[in-house]
């Protein structure tokens, strides 16, 4: 715990949650995206539609799922559909406004690698791979990305394009025939970033409380651009922090082997 | 016509050396007991197909039963990597593993094409993604009406698909509920299908739109209570997330893995699955 009263991880999750609105239909990835989407649902966006790729539509879990298909996602969903339907009708059909992804490696144009570090055929590290992400990146209306900053993670050149962001920047997406907006926000543990309207390079628009420009640059593998009207991310509210911490506590208890305690 | 068999016989009669097999289940209803039976029988040279290989293929790959894996997400969901699969890819231990990697959308479409008797699946995908550059089975077609370039992948047609489900009736019709995943398509795409179920009932007691696989689509049914553990069966028992977390440690070390397999697979039978779910039974 920092002396700010919250951790970098907490401000990242809460800043990401704030980026979501009540009207969003959100394709949720596991980990930080899942925490952010559920904090949004439990605070300012009670009617947000959360969809996990296992087929659960409009789910409202009491604890964060460990996998994309925990039973509680199905039990609390409006409906659950088969996986081919999820990918064909709902994702490819253009029904999902926000895709929320994490990354092992990310470049300044929002291209994501979760497949392999090193050469594909002789990998230094073999990662899990894309799962639903390649098509989430191209079929959702827009993409939010969340990750902790590090020199290993935020790199000049990713080793493998698991999911296409803005490619080489500019109108590269449109040139490939992709009609969706692609990555529109990057939320890290240090800052909020948005793509430059022309070049599509991620630019820091807001620093989290207590974070300096040097902190951001020291943990980023490319030369960071900052917006002219750089702001400070508002501090977490009491409600946001309590909601996130209660959610994490319920989740930890539920996954450690005991039966899950219910929300108060 | 009903073909209720012991798990041993269901696997022995339907899964053979060199087969293309799909043990499917999307997080939910993963046929772990059936996978363990395949390990006990020492079936060799399998090509395994599965969207998320999960720990069941991690174990089969770690035992050297697999020559090729066709998949779309090789992780332990929410935990991290599949360490036995990673060891095979990075270090060829215990044998080299050929991989054919897709996205979930591609696999889902490919199973559906297999079930539909089509040679390939067509969908809007892989745009700007590198997988198409390293997997020769990802190609493209041009829409004859709009000129749009679309991704194409070959249909999945396993020799045998193995799934787990809630229940069967006495005739052998099978009900699948909850997160139904890709199992229906996997069964209908395969030449043969083996199903393990929690129980056999007089009446499936389901609505007209339920996911039911008629008995004549299934080669063999084996009753294995708890047969999906540490995955889960909606309405019967919860996902055992702590076991998935523990697997990360067991699978990190080759010797620990071997010991675990001996103690939990080779030296026991399918009856232990019922014990493993005792404290996980749903309150409902």
């Amino acid at each position: 715990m920092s002396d700010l009263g919250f951790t970098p991880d907490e401000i990242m999750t809460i800043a990401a949650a704030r980026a979501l609105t009540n009207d969003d239909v959100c394709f949720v990835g596991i980990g930080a995206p899942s925490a952010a989407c559920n904090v949004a649902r439990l605070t300012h966006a009670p009617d947000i539609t959360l969809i996990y790729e296992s087929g659960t539509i409009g789910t409202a879990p009491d604890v964060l799922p460990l996998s994309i298909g925990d039973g509680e996602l199905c039990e609390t969903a409006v409906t659950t559909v088969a996986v081919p339907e999820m990918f064909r009708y709902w994702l490819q059909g253009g029904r999902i406004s926000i895709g929320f992804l994490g990354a092992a490696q990310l470049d300044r144009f929002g291209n994501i690698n979760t497949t392999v570090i090193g050469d594909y055929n002789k990998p230094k590290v073999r990662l899990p791979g894309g799962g639903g992400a390649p098509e989430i990146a191209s079929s959702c209306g827009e993409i939010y990305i969340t990750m902790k900053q590090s020199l290993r993670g935020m790199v000049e050149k990713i080793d493998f394009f698991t999911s296409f962001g803005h490619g080489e920047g500019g109108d590269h997406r449109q040139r490939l025939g992709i009609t969706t907006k692609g990555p529109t926000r990057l939320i890290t543990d240090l800052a909020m970033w948005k793509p430059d309207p022309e070049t599509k390079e991620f630019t820091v628009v807001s620093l989290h409380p207590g974070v300096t420009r040097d902190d951001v640059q020291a943990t980023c593998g490319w030369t960071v651009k900052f917006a002219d009207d750089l702001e400070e991310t508002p501090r977490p509210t009491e409600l946001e922090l309590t909601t996130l911490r209660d959610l994490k506590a319920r989740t930890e208890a539920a996954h450690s082997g005991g039966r899950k305690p219910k929300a108060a | 016509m009903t073909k209720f068999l012991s798990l041993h016989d269901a696997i022995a009669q339907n899964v053979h050396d060199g087969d293309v097999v799909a043990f499917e289940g999307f997080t939910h209803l993963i046929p772990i007991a059936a996978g363990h039976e395949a390990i006990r029988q020492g079936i060799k040279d399998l090509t395994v197909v599965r969207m998320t290989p999960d720990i069941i293929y991690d174990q089969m790959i770690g035992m050297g039963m697999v020559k090729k894996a066709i998949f779309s997400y090789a992780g332990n969901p929410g935990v991290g990597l599949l360490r036995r699969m990673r060891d095979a890819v990075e270090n060829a231990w215990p044998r080299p593993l050929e991989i054919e990697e897709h996205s979930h959308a591609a696999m889902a479409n490919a199973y559906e094409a297999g079930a539909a008797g089509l040679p390939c699946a067509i969908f809007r995908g892989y745009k700007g993604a590198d997988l198409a550059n390293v997997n020769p089975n990802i190609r493209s077609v041009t829409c004859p009406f709009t000129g749009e370039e679309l991704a194409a992948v070959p249909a999945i047609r396993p020799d045998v698909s193995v799934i787990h489900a809630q229940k069967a009736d006495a005739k052998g019709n099978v009900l699948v509920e909850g997160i139904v995943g890709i199992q229906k398509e996997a069964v209908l795409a395969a030449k043969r299908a083996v199903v393990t179920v929690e129980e056999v009932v007089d009446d499936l007691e389901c609505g007209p739109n339920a996911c039911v696989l008629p008995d004549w689509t299934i080669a063999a049914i084996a009753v294995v209570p708890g047969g999906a553990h540490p995955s889960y069966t909606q309405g019967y028992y919860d996902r055992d997330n702590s076991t998935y977390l523990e697997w990360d440690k067991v699978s990190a070390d080759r010797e620990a893995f071997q010991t675990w397999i001996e103690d939990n697979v080779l030296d026991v039978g399918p009856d232990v699955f019922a014990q493993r779910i005792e404290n996980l039974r749903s309150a409902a």
Side-chain angles (χ1 to χ4, degrees):
Chain A
M1 183 69 58
S2 76
D3 54 9
L4 290 163
F6 55 86
T7 65
D9 204 47
E10 286 173 336
I11 185 74
M12 173 172 76
T13 305
I14 287 166
R18 288 176 187 153
L20 298 162
T21 73
N22 212 30
D23 295 331
D24 279 323
V25 178
C26 195
F27 211 92
V28 186
I30 286 298
S34 181
C37 289
N38 281 288
V39 168
R41 180 178 62 80
L42 293 167
T43 56
H44 67 279
D47 296 323
I48 190 171
T49 298
L50 303 186
I51 295 180
Y52 288 73
E53 67 190 11
S54 55
T56 58
I57 296 178
T59 186
D62 189 40
V63 300
L64 296 175
L66 184 70
S67 77
I68 36 76
D70 281 21
E72 186 163 316
L73 293 173
C74 177
E75 287 162 11
T76 60
V78 172
T79 186
T80 299
V81 302
V83 164
E85 179 178 328
M86 174 53 65
F87 283 96
R88 289 175 71 78
Y89 302 172
W90 300 89
L91 180 62
Q92 184 179 262
R95 295 272 174 187
I96 300 174
S97 63
I98 309 272
F100 218 129
L101 297 173
Q105 272 187 337
L106 178 81
D107 71 16
R108 71 181 74 200
F109 295 111
N111 302 301
I112 290 174
N113 173 21
T114 58
T115 302
V116 67
I117 305 296
D119 181 76
Y120 184 82
N121 293 307
K122 288 186 179 161
K124 259 190 263 177
V125 183
R126 175 63 226 198
L127 301 168
E135 281 77 33
I136 292 171
S138 56
S139 288
C140 292
E142 53 192 297
I143 298 298
Y144 293 171
I145 301 165
T146 185
M147 69 184 293
K148 289 186 193 185
Q149 291 203 197
S150 74
L151 291 174
R152 274 198 340 188
M154 297 172 77
V155 296
E156 190 70 45
K157 195 173 182 317
I158 60 175
D159 290 353
F160 194 89
F161 274 60
T162 304
S163 310
F164 189 82
H166 294 290
E168 296 166 359
D171 64 351
H172 198 174
R173 274 178 86 83
Q174 290 93 311
R175 280 190 276 123
L176 289 183
I178 307 174
T179 57
T180 52
K181 287 183 189 163
T184 54
R185 286 187 198 244
L186 164 63
I187 305 112
T188 70
D189 49 341
L190 302 181
M192 172 72 77
W193 310 55
K194 288 184 184 175
D196 177 276
E198 293 300 317
T199 67
K200 303 297 183 193
E201 175 176 345
F202 270 127
T203 305
V204 176
V205 297
S206 157
L207 294 172
H208 298 338
V211 174
T212 67
R213 292 178 185 231
D214 287 348
D215 294 335
V216 175
Q217 184 61 74
T219 50
C220 181
W222 66 79
T223 303
V224 179
K225 289 214 168 76
F226 295 89
D228 294 338
D229 51 352
L230 188 64
E231 296 180 352
E232 183 177 281
T233 309
R235 303 172 69 84
T237 65
E238 188 67 34
L239 173 67
E240 287 169 334
L241 264 186
T242 307
T243 302
L244 174 59
R245 286 174 184 173
D246 287 353
L247 183 61
K248 292 261 186 183
R250 290 200 296 277
T251 299
E252 200 168 317
H255 295 172
S256 61
R259 294 202 63 80
K260 61 178 186 277
K262 285 289 170 194
Chain B
M1 282 299 290
T2 314
K3 46 265 149 174
F4 286 94
L5 298 174
S6 68
L7 181 60
H8 176 278
D9 290 353
I11 295 297
Q13 291 177 21
N14 288 288
V15 185
H16 312 303
D17 290 353
D19 272 354
V20 177
V21 302
F23 287 71
E24 271 295 355
F26 202 85
T27 308
H28 180 215
L29 293 174
I30 299 174
I32 304 281
H36 284 188
E37 184 58 39
I39 292 172
R40 279 191 291 274
Q41 294 187 18
I43 298 164
K44 300 191 297 285
D45 296 326
L46 295 174
T47 293
V48 295
V49 186
R50 189 178 156 79
M51 294 183 70
T52 56
D54 201 82
I55 66 175
I56 185 175
Y57 283 178
D58 211 29
Q59 292 167 4
M60 291 164 73
I61 289 167
M63 291 299 285
M65 299 160 62
V66 179
K67 67 177 179 189
K68 178 177 179 182
I70 301 173
F71 69 98
S72 43
Y73 182 82
N76 179 346
V79 179
L81 302 157
L82 290 177
R83 298 185 183 283
R84 291 297 93 226
M85 185 169 178
R86 184 178 162 186
D87 204 10
V89 172
E90 293 177 9
N91 307 311
W93 192 92
R95 61 177 285 180
L97 177 69
E98 185 187 345
I99 61 171
E100 179 178 331
E101 183 168 6
H102 289 279
S103 67
H104 279 347
M107 295 282 288
N109 279 284
Y111 271 119
E112 207 179 38
L118 289 167
C120 72
I122 296 168
F123 64 109
R124 186 180 294 118
Y126 287 127
K127 292 201 169 176
D130 272 342
L131 267 182
N133 301 325
V134 295
N135 179 350
N137 269 342
I138 299 170
R139 301 187 195 173
S140 64
V141 295
T142 304
C143 171
F145 305 103
T146 64
E148 182 178 358
E149 188 175 296
L150 297 161
V153 293
I156 294 172
R157 293 166 175 271
D159 292 306
V160 56
S161 286
V162 183
I163 67 165
H164 186 73
Q166 274 88 356
K167 50 192 170 185
D169 65 19
K171 196 175 176 213
N173 301 303
V174 167
L175 175 68
V176 187
E177 284 185 306
I179 291 173
V180 293
I182 195 74
Q183 290 94 303
K184 181 178 179 178
E185 290 75 16
V187 163
L188 297 182
K191 293 181 188 140
R192 304 180 294 280
V194 174
V195 184
T196 54
V197 295
E198 292 292 328
E199 62 175 337
V200 176
V201 295
D202 292 334
D203 184 343
L204 292 177
E205 290 178 359
C206 57
N209 302 111
C211 179
V212 172
L213 289 159
D215 69 297
W216 49 270
T217 64
I218 298 163
I221 298 173
V223 181
V224 187
H229 179 273
S231 169
Y232 69 105
T233 299
Q234 189 96 33
Y236 288 78
Y237 49 95
D238 294 335
R239 192 173 193 264
D240 187 355
N241 281 327
S242 60
T243 295
Y244 275 93
L245 291 165
E246 283 162 26
W247 180 250
D248 198 51
K249 295 175 201 137
V250 171
S251 61
D253 181 82
R254 290 174 184 172
E255 279 184 28
F257 164 74
Q258 296 280 10
T259 304
W260 188 95
I261 287 282
E262 279 165 30
D263 294 347
N264 294 279
V265 181
L266 298 179
D267 295 344
V268 298
D271 47 307
V272 300
F273 279 83
Q275 298 159 26
R276 289 175 187 163
I277 58 149
E278 272 307 309
N279 67 339
L280 296 165
R281 286 190 187 282
S282 302

